[in-house]
Amino acid sequence: MLENWVVMPTRLPLVLRRCHTCTSERFQANGKFRVNAHHKLLDAWLLVLCTGCGETAKLTVLERVNVRSVRPELLDRLHDNDPGLAAELLQDPVVRRRNRIALDWDNAWRLDTGGSDHLDREVIDVSVRFAARIPVRPVLLITEGCGLSRAEVERLITEGKLVSAVRLSGKLSGDFTFTLKR
């Protein structure tokens, strides 16, 4: 029987960027946007707050874009300070590259295993789905979901009792499956 696990975000990730006011390198996005019009041109920023001093920084979303080229739904979401849009934009590689930022997902996600009835079976087939592109080590997910220690999971991988089509060392942010034989 196939078990379905889901890696769910619990909040927006922290933005890794140097603060110009203090020595902090972490900013918290709260889903607020600033939109500014220059005649027929539009600028839009996602506002983030420094976790150290509270200073506001702007992450460029749109820069000098013709108003007619912006989808009306997007403009409405920017004006409504849609937190879902903030989450989408933080995950957008173009926005991250343009603003030279990285994301810190520590303590910003949880694993939903659907219960612990699978722990007593000899063979467990698990499909792990990511609700957002959260980079997590599969070994960490397996230790948390199966209630095993990290050393025990590493031992099961070396013995060939924990197998997957993807590499279980390193980080993943995409869906994968694995089989655990006890």
Side-chain angles (χ1 to χ4, degrees):
M1 181 177 203
L2 183 68
E3 296 289 325
N4 292 307
W5 293 359
V6 182
V7 178
M8 302 280 299
T10 55
R11 64 169 172 78
L12 291 174
L14 293 176
V15 175
L16 299 177
R17 173 182 172 169
R18 176 167 285 133
C19 179
H20 297 294
T21 307
C22 69
T23 59
S24 176
E25 293 187 356
R26 289 181 169 26
F27 285 80
Q28 178 67 51
N30 58 3
K32 302 274 189 223
F33 292 93
R34 176 165 181 219
V35 181
N36 197 8
H38 307 277
H39 303 287
K40 293 182 181 181
L41 300 177
L42 201 68
D43 289 328
W45 300 277
L46 172 62
L47 302 178
V48 292
L49 300 173
C50 176
T51 57
C53 66
E55 183 73 21
T56 301
K58 299 184 294 188
L59 303 180
T60 303
V61 176
L62 301 173
E63 189 171 33
R64 301 291 172 162
V65 176
N66 191 312
V67 174
R68 292 182 186 261
S69 67
V70 178
R71 295 185 330 268
E73 316 83 61
L74 175 61
L75 201 51
D76 288 342
R77 290 177 77 187
L78 287 168
H79 285 300
D80 294 339
N81 291 320
D82 183 1
L85 178 61
E88 291 172 27
L89 291 171
L90 283 174
Q91 302 229 358
D92 185 354
V94 174
V95 172
R96 289 201 320 251
R97 196 173 319 113
R98 176 189 296 153
N99 292 285
R100 294 183 186 97
I101 61 169
L103 301 179
D104 179 7
W105 281 98
D106 289 347
N107 302 317
W109 59 271
R110 68 179 170 82
L111 178 64
D112 182 14
T113 61
S116 60
D117 59 337
H118 62 277
L119 296 177
D120 56 347
R121 286 189 278 186
E122 284 295 314
V123 177
I124 306 169
D125 288 320
V126 178
S127 170
V128 180
R129 188 176 62 79
F130 287 79
R133 293 184 51 84
I134 304 170
V136 182
R137 295 184 187 283
V139 170
L140 177 63
L141 295 175
I142 296 167
T143 58
E144 188 174 319
C146 294
L148 302 170
S149 70
R150 183 173 176 165
E152 196 172 354
V153 171
E154 297 286 349
R155 182 183 53 79
L156 290 169
I157 291 172
T158 7
E159 291 176 358
K161 294 183 177 181
L162 179 58
V163 292
S164 177
V166 299
R167 194 174 54 118
L168 295 175
S169 60
K171 289 188 177 185
L172 286 177
S173 59
D175 301 351
F176 70 97
T177 59
F178 70 88
T179 303
L180 172 65
K181 301 172 190 168
R182 294 182 194 240

